[in-house]
Amino acid sequence: MKSDQAAVISELHTLRDFMRWALSEFSRHQVFLGHGHAEAWDEASQLVLNAVDLPWDTNPAVLDGRLTQAEKARVVDFVSQRTLERKPLPYITGEAWFMGLPFNVDERVLIPRSPVAELIAAGFEPWLRPGPVNRILDLCTGSGCIGIACAYAFEEAEVDLADISTDALEVAQANIARHALEDRVRACQGDLFAAVEGETYDLIVSNPPYVDADDLASMPEEYGHEPALALGSGPDGLDITRRILQQAAQHLTPEGLLVVEVGNSEVHLMQSLPELPLVWVELEQGGNGIFVITAEELRAHADLL
């Protein structure tokens, strides 16, 4: 492999050369795309640009610029991490984007990709009751991307980011600082609502672990770099979601709203709680498995939980 890398460094010269080569390597090693880009060319170009400290929207005229030996070596290292180690691109670059916002990420947190972004952009209409939103909880926050995006969408709201993982909360805290939101957003450690005992919220949003055992066993290698704690949740993927449903009403204001993403485990949830009046959101931008339910409905159907 070292001789191959030496030949690449010797024979390729421009950004465009290395993007083409990266694309070929992606195809040769059949990398999985699911952590940022849907197209291999987009991923290849972003990997190469990041390796030489250029932004994603770099002027195309730069692509024919020649790289230094050190830059070539860094590009080759990035491509090696992506193809041989199967490391997702955001873990290589240390950055991911969500709702048009940049976030620090590493292997302590999931890579942001939740379709909840579509709901945040719409202000959770038409499900969220009219009027001011004073307090929001992002439960199982990971990097903090959902809660921080909510802080942008609801400029007067205070937002709590809760997670059981102290490692994840270190990343979330760094993102709070990156977005200069320390005055309105805080990180809280604990097992689900134990992190915010006694607190109530107008809106609770959660993207908890929800991958069932079968799906977890068959996921592409790239997912092996993500924290297992943030992916799997029992045989049907709903161990944590059931606990959220059981406890959420105690932490919602009388007209509060709970929003939870369960992905493909939505089928299991429909089958196990068919009488619970969950509203499944139809997403225009792709994705599935997000339900909403009001505090009033949770309290009225507590016997089912």
Side-chain angles (χ1 to χ4, degrees):
M1 181 62 189
K2 287 186 177 180
S3 60
D4 293 340
Q5 292 180 352
V8 167
I9 291 173
S10 173
E11 296 173 16
L12 303 183
H13 303 291
T14 69
L15 284 167
R16 198 184 303 275
D17 289 342
F18 279 93
M19 288 175 183
R20 197 283 308 156
W21 172 71
L23 187 64
S24 294
E25 290 295 288
F26 288 177
S27 177
R28 184 173 297 115
H29 293 277
Q30 297 184 329
V31 300
F32 173 78
L33 300 173
H35 293 93
H37 296 101
E39 301 294 334
W41 171 254
D42 293 334
E43 180 129 338
S45 61
Q46 288 309 302
L47 183 148
V48 173
L49 289 172
N50 270 280
V52 297
D53 298 315
L54 288 175
W56 65 271
D57 56 352
T58 292
N59 189 318
V62 176
L63 299 185
D64 292 314
R66 295 168 68 93
L67 276 61
T68 67
Q69 291 298 104
E71 287 174 331
K72 291 180 181 182
R74 193 159 188 247
V75 172
V76 168
D77 175 60
F78 273 30
V79 173
S80 177
Q81 290 184 60
R82 185 68 187 90
T83 58
L84 301 183
E85 299 176 30
R86 285 294 201 278
K87 187 179 291 188
L89 177 61
Y91 287 155
I92 299 172
T93 65
E95 183 176 78
W97 289 74
F98 181 77
M99 287 278 298
L101 302 167
F103 291 92
N104 298 346
V105 294
D106 59 35
E107 294 185 34
R108 293 174 291 177
V109 297
L110 290 184
I111 295 166
R113 54 184 178 273
S114 173
V116 168
E118 184 176 324
L119 279 69
I120 300 172
F124 294 92
E125 293 182 355
W127 304 282
L128 186 62
R129 59 102 178 99
V133 175
N134 298 312
R135 305 203 68 215
I136 300 172
L137 172 62
D138 175 8
L139 191 62
C140 305
T141 191
S143 66
C145 64
I146 288 176
I148 289 171
C150 285
Y152 277 95
F154 299 93
E155 296 180 354
E156 303 302 319
E158 294 181 353
V159 182
D160 286 345
L161 312 179
D163 206 292
I164 193 172
S165 168
T166 54
D167 285 341
L169 288 176
E170 288 180 5
V171 179
Q173 189 63 56
N175 282 317
I176 293 172
R178 179 171 186 170
H179 292 275
L181 287 168
E182 294 95 335
D183 60 331
R184 291 196 295 123
V185 182
R186 65 171 181 162
C188 309
Q189 193 277 330
D191 184 5
L192 293 183
F193 292 104
V196 290
E197 190 170 353
E199 304 284 357
T200 57
Y201 302 89
D202 302 303
L203 174 64
I204 298 174
V205 187
S206 184
N207 178 15
Y210 59 70
V211 182
D212 66 42
D214 289 342
D215 282 352
L216 194 62
S218 63
M219 295 178 90
E221 289 181 57
E222 279 81 353
Y223 288 94
H225 289 273
E226 296 192 291
L229 181 67
L231 289 171
S233 186
D236 64 359
L238 296 173
D239 285 1
I240 293 174
T241 299
R242 290 190 182 91
R243 292 175 57 205
I244 292 172
L245 286 167
Q246 290 163 0
Q247 301 171 29
Q250 305 167 38
H251 297 276
L252 284 166
T253 55
E255 296 183 311
L257 183 72
L258 173 67
V259 180
V260 181
E261 177 183 346
V262 295
N264 291 338
S265 293
E266 69 175 314
V267 176
H268 300 307
L269 188 54
M270 290 176 183
Q271 293 172 343
S272 63
L273 291 170
E275 297 179 22
L276 191 64
L278 304 174
V279 176
W280 293 95
V281 178
E282 293 186 13
L283 297 162
E284 296 180 0
Q285 299 172 17
N288 66 293
I290 297 175
F291 70 78
V292 302
I293 186 169
T294 66
E296 183 179 7
E297 290 167 335
L298 282 170
R299 294 181 181 115
H301 296 83
D303 59 313
L304 298 176
L305 304 171

